[in-house]
Amino acid sequence: MSLINDLVSIVGAEHVLEGEEAAPYLSDWRNRYKGRAQAVVRPANTQEVADVVKLCARYEVPMVTQGGNTGLCGGATPSNKGDAVLILMTRLNHILNVDTVNDTITVQAGCILQQVQEAAAKHERLFPLSLAAEGSCTIGGNLATNAGGTQVLRYGNARDLALGLEVVTPEGDILNGLKGLRKDNTGYDLRNLYIGSEGTLGIITAATLKLYPQPAAECTALVAFESLDDALYMLNYSRKGFASRLEGFELMSDYCLKIVNECFPEQSLPLSLDYPWYALIHIADSDSEEQAREIFHRVLEQALEDDIIQDAVLAESLQQAHDLWHLRESIPLAEAMVGQGIKNDISVPISRIAPFVDDTNTALQSWYPGVRHIIFGHLGDGNLHYNIGAPVGEEEGFLSKQEEAFKIVFDSVVDYDGSISAEHGIGQLKKDMLPDYKDEVEIAVMRKIKRALDPLGLMNPGKVIDSVDFDY
Amino acid sequence: MSLINDLVSIVGAEHVLEGEEAAPYLSDWRNRYKGRAQAVVRPANTQEVADVVKLCARYEVPMVTQGGNTGLCGGATPSNKGDAVLILMTRLNHILNVDTVNDTITVQAGCILQQVQEAAAKHERLFPLSLAAEGSCTIGGNLATNAGGTQVLRYGNARDLALGLEVVTPEGDILNGLKGLRKDNTGYDLRNLYIGSEGTLGIITAATLKLYPQPAAECTALVAFESLDDALYMLNYSRKGFASRLEGFELMSDYCLKIVNECFPEQSLPLSLDYPWYALIHIADSDSEEQAREIFHRVLEQALEDDIIQDAVLAESLQQAHDLWHLRESIPLAEAMVGQGIKNDISVPISRIAPFVDDTNTALQSWYPGVRHIIFGHLGDGNLHYNIGAPVGEEEGFLSKQEEAFKIVFDSVVDYDGSISAEHGIGQLKKDMLPDYKDEVEIAVMRKIKRALDPLGLMNPGKVIDSVDFDY
């Protein structure tokens, strides 16, 4: 029990959880992954994180870092071995600094994303990272997984919003990179190496993030297309017409809207469901509501005239805009209510989306006739949630076919130069598949880095990549 | 001579240069660094680069990669030992693909930056990287050094414009990452590791880059400030007022404009030189010239009214805008004509620029009374070219004091949480100083990565960081 005693001496007895107290942190929120741990520890600050890591390194005990536990790939759940210590970051929840001249905010890793957004808003600034879990995910987790969300088109992923990081290395050293610099060419870009590494190379304890001016006005429209090609044409049209005003371009198949309509009849659909594809287009303007609406009208009218879009409704009020977004946000819920499904989070070059969807739909239908296609996502980023529902009445055992479905979809993704995980990461879900779908030289370099920075393989083992390969 | 024979068998005799033919590539364009090499080779394509690297690795021969040879830190010049092979990338100069739906361009590393800009323009797209050497620097060099330039404020550094890379590793393997994906969370971000690594981890042979819509109109103004604080206030004001229209905010001290005026009297100054600080503000609008001018007028009038700026001239024509930019671009030339100088390329958080300049000026004056301060740069990025001229009449031997001057400036940079190299990189110029001015944990992690990816230390040795440290 000397590990536990030593942990207690670092963080205090009330912050070393075992048994029942530890249980909530040992499975993910969807209950897809369950693990065990020697203890869950809740350090209060960076120094305590470093001391815990040093201790675990000395005992050669694996470490799993957890923030809001909202991940979708099991990246924050320990293995079943029970040898790990789970480091919970939620007490590192302080906004350290807001600098309105430098337009930066420095926050501890355990801050909730919404807390960061609100701290920025209090200073009349925008922190643009926005995603469904923003009320409970932590910024540390967002950075560790390079989270995306709905405003990537304009502001980029979590990666693009981070100027500097503080990181505890696998040896328990503190790397102090919390500089709010927009330019720094003094050697290797370690910041981007830690971002997206899912806790396998070190623990992000704080970050300095970019802030933006708040927009003067926002505007949302729902539009209907005759084909996916037209949707892509409209995306290009929007990039040109709205330029940097364009913040979101969210594609939805007719089937997505149909199930939302069935499950939530109280949500009114402002367009008929006569077309196969729809998109929510969202813009923000720095000048005025009037200008935003005028430009939106102009672009939509031209698109109608050019037969790129078949129908359109421009939200007339904030409430209407909210209602339109609510349709989009209700898709995953409707999906779950309608039946079992296999989720994909893939990306391909935007120019190849239409043939990718055609080909992959066909391949899936010949594999399992009648599967339902639930396709929606961030078209502007080439990122589709290309989900597959069991055929009606054939729910039983469908999820056990997940690996077969993954193989069909991922083979197609690779044919189209895409990525098998656009925004959710690898975690434990896709770790074993990754080497089959990624450039082998890239895999070899990743492994060299993992081995160099974490030679004992203690940082979040069993996630992303193993320290050793079988040829080693 | 079997290395040379083997090189000839890969690239052909006419592309293995020795003696006189090799000489132009063995010193940098400013003639500050001179080196020697066994040969200069000019591979024709990625496979030939890989074959050359494999060969050099087999012979354990150091490799130095060179593009347009426009660097400022000696990063592309071999050492004096004469054991290296210099790999010249200029034959890899093909635009491989322009995808206007995906808004990407894929280019070989030896393409001249201007060639990339022009290929984009031919398709009515903007490739926004822009810097003084764009007529001769290569995109591979831009990526290897993470080049900045004048549009970073809006579009970011070279790093921010690259979606994927093809890289030849130190073993001569080809890493194929040329995917035009805007989202890909499948493991470690190797792309950003190679970008900015100055050829010390591998050789970038091609890249897929982001394209943007061409702006409908551009507008430039020259404004005068009573203080550096006012300039910073105006920057913030501009970020709010112009939002994403703001593309450049280039600071110049009165002394910079004075020497331009002395050296190039034919360039007319549209404002009096009665104020200590000036800035060029540049915006681009996606809608119309009319709108751009109207917004610019509105923001400038408000700033005058609020006493943030003292005077302003808005270019009335493209020629006038060009003339204003020409003033800015003439500063380095005027600087060279006026006398010997020590160049700095530093960044600090934007909010700390004013006290940094005050304190550092004072420290330099007490070190060497009468030194001239030539201060200009990309204020919007916190990046100053904080240059130091010999006092008038005291040219002799001033450059030999470079190390003393660096120490004063860099100590101050570190006090202000800044970077000793904002955009020019480390090369050989700052390699030995780097460990004194960068977080020691970061240095240790960098060294681990260098050692893991280039264990023989053959990739551009003597640049950025050594494979071993003295404690090793």
Side-chain angles (χ1 to χ4, degrees), chain B residues 220-237:
Chain B
T220 305
L222 178 67
V223 299
F225 306 104
E226 213 148 49
S227 69
L228 196 42
D229 276 328
D230 278 354
L232 287 161
Y233 202 88
M234 184 63 191
L235 171 65
N236 239 319
Y237 210 91

Short mmCIF file of all heavy atoms in Angstrom, two decimals, chain B residues 220-237:
data_model
loop_
_atom_site.label_atom_id
_atom_site.label_comp_id
_atom_site.label_asym_id
_atom_site.label_seq_id
_atom_site.Cartn_x
_atom_site.Cartn_y
_atom_site.Cartn_z
N THR B 220 -5.02 50.19 -47.99
CA THR B 220 -3.88 50.41 -47.10
C THR B 220 -3.87 51.84 -46.59
O THR B 220 -4.17 52.77 -47.34
CB THR B 220 -2.56 50.15 -47.86
OG1 THR B 220 -2.60 48.85 -48.42
CG2 THR B 220 -1.36 50.26 -46.94
N ALA B 221 -3.52 52.00 -45.33
CA ALA B 221 -3.36 53.35 -44.77
C ALA B 221 -2.05 53.44 -44.01
O ALA B 221 -1.57 52.45 -43.46
CB ALA B 221 -4.52 53.69 -43.84
N LEU B 222 -1.50 54.65 -43.98
CA LEU B 222 -0.36 54.94 -43.11
C LEU B 222 -0.87 55.85 -42.01
O LEU B 222 -1.53 56.86 -42.30
CB LEU B 222 0.76 55.63 -43.91
CG LEU B 222 2.02 56.03 -43.12
CD1 LEU B 222 2.78 54.81 -42.63
CD2 LEU B 222 2.93 56.91 -43.98
N VAL B 223 -0.60 55.50 -40.78
CA VAL B 223 -1.10 56.31 -39.67
C VAL B 223 0.05 56.65 -38.72
O VAL B 223 1.07 55.95 -38.69
CB VAL B 223 -2.23 55.59 -38.89
CG1 VAL B 223 -3.41 55.31 -39.79
CG2 VAL B 223 -1.73 54.31 -38.27
N ALA B 224 -0.13 57.73 -37.98
CA ALA B 224 0.92 58.22 -37.06
C ALA B 224 0.41 58.17 -35.63
O ALA B 224 -0.76 58.45 -35.36
CB ALA B 224 1.30 59.65 -37.42
N PHE B 225 1.29 57.79 -34.70
CA PHE B 225 0.93 57.67 -33.28
C PHE B 225 1.83 58.54 -32.42
O PHE B 225 2.99 58.76 -32.74
CB PHE B 225 1.11 56.23 -32.81
CG PHE B 225 0.38 55.21 -33.63
CD1 PHE B 225 1.07 54.41 -34.53
CD2 PHE B 225 -0.99 55.06 -33.51
CE1 PHE B 225 0.40 53.46 -35.28
CE2 PHE B 225 -1.66 54.11 -34.27
CZ PHE B 225 -0.96 53.31 -35.16
N GLU B 226 1.28 58.93 -31.29
CA GLU B 226 2.07 59.70 -30.33
C GLU B 226 2.90 58.76 -29.44
O GLU B 226 3.85 59.19 -28.80
CB GLU B 226 1.13 60.53 -29.46
CG GLU B 226 1.75 61.84 -29.05
CD GLU B 226 0.66 62.90 -28.91
OE1 GLU B 226 -0.34 62.58 -28.23
OE2 GLU B 226 0.80 64.00 -29.48
N SER B 227 2.52 57.51 -29.36
CA SER B 227 3.25 56.58 -28.49
C SER B 227 3.03 55.15 -28.98
O SER B 227 2.09 54.88 -29.73
CB SER B 227 2.75 56.68 -27.05
OG SER B 227 1.42 56.16 -26.97
N LEU B 228 3.89 54.28 -28.49
CA LEU B 228 3.75 52.87 -28.82
C LEU B 228 2.46 52.30 -28.20
O LEU B 228 1.80 51.44 -28.78
CB LEU B 228 4.99 52.13 -28.31
CG LEU B 228 5.29 50.73 -28.82
CD1 LEU B 228 5.05 50.56 -30.30
CD2 LEU B 228 6.73 50.36 -28.48
N ASP B 229 2.12 52.83 -27.03
CA ASP B 229 0.86 52.40 -26.42
C ASP B 229 -0.34 52.71 -27.32
O ASP B 229 -1.25 51.90 -27.44
CB ASP B 229 0.66 53.11 -25.06
CG ASP B 229 1.39 52.38 -23.94
OD1 ASP B 229 1.49 51.14 -24.02
OD2 ASP B 229 1.87 53.06 -23.02
N ASP B 230 -0.30 53.88 -27.94
CA ASP B 230 -1.39 54.22 -28.87
C ASP B 230 -1.42 53.26 -30.06
O ASP B 230 -2.50 52.88 -30.53
CB ASP B 230 -1.23 55.66 -29.38
CG ASP B 230 -1.79 56.68 -28.38
OD1 ASP B 230 -2.39 56.25 -27.37
OD2 ASP B 230 -1.61 57.89 -28.61
N ALA B 231 -0.24 52.88 -30.53
CA ALA B 231 -0.19 51.94 -31.66
C ALA B 231 -0.86 50.63 -31.26
O ALA B 231 -1.61 50.03 -32.04
CB ALA B 231 1.25 51.70 -32.10
N LEU B 232 -0.59 50.18 -30.04
CA LEU B 232 -1.19 48.94 -29.56
C LEU B 232 -2.69 49.10 -29.39
O LEU B 232 -3.47 48.18 -29.68
CB LEU B 232 -0.54 48.53 -28.23
CG LEU B 232 0.87 48.00 -28.42
CD1 LEU B 232 1.65 48.04 -27.12
CD2 LEU B 232 0.80 46.58 -28.96
N TYR B 233 -3.08 50.28 -28.92
CA TYR B 233 -4.51 50.55 -28.76
C TYR B 233 -5.19 50.49 -30.12
O TYR B 233 -6.27 49.91 -30.29
CB TYR B 233 -4.67 51.93 -28.12
CG TYR B 233 -6.00 52.09 -27.43
CD1 TYR B 233 -6.16 51.71 -26.09
CD2 TYR B 233 -7.09 52.60 -28.12
CE1 TYR B 233 -7.40 51.83 -25.47
CE2 TYR B 233 -8.32 52.73 -27.50
CZ TYR B 233 -8.46 52.34 -26.19
OH TYR B 233 -9.69 52.46 -25.58
N MET B 234 -4.52 51.05 -31.12
CA MET B 234 -5.08 51.05 -32.48
C MET B 234 -5.13 49.64 -33.06
O MET B 234 -6.06 49.32 -33.82
CB MET B 234 -4.23 51.95 -33.39
CG MET B 234 -4.77 52.11 -34.79
SD MET B 234 -6.41 52.92 -34.81
CE MET B 234 -6.92 52.66 -36.52
N LEU B 235 -4.17 48.82 -32.70
CA LEU B 235 -4.21 47.42 -33.17
C LEU B 235 -5.48 46.74 -32.66
O LEU B 235 -6.20 46.09 -33.42
CB LEU B 235 -2.96 46.67 -32.68
CG LEU B 235 -2.97 45.16 -32.90
CD1 LEU B 235 -2.98 44.81 -34.37
CD2 LEU B 235 -1.76 44.51 -32.21
N ASN B 236 -5.74 46.92 -31.38
CA ASN B 236 -6.93 46.32 -30.80
C ASN B 236 -8.21 46.86 -31.45
O ASN B 236 -9.15 46.13 -31.74
CB ASN B 236 -6.96 46.61 -29.30
CG ASN B 236 -6.99 45.32 -28.51
OD1 ASN B 236 -7.70 44.40 -28.89
ND2 ASN B 236 -6.23 45.26 -27.44
N TYR B 237 -8.20 48.16 -31.63
CA TYR B 237 -9.28 48.88 -32.29
C TYR B 237 -9.52 48.33 -33.70
O TYR B 237 -10.65 48.14 -34.14
CB TYR B 237 -8.79 50.32 -32.38
CG TYR B 237 -9.84 51.37 -32.35
CD1 TYR B 237 -10.24 51.93 -31.14
CD2 TYR B 237 -10.40 51.83 -33.53
CE1 TYR B 237 -11.19 52.92 -31.12
CE2 TYR B 237 -11.36 52.82 -33.52
CZ TYR B 237 -11.75 53.36 -32.32
OH TYR B 237 -12.70 54.34 -32.30
#
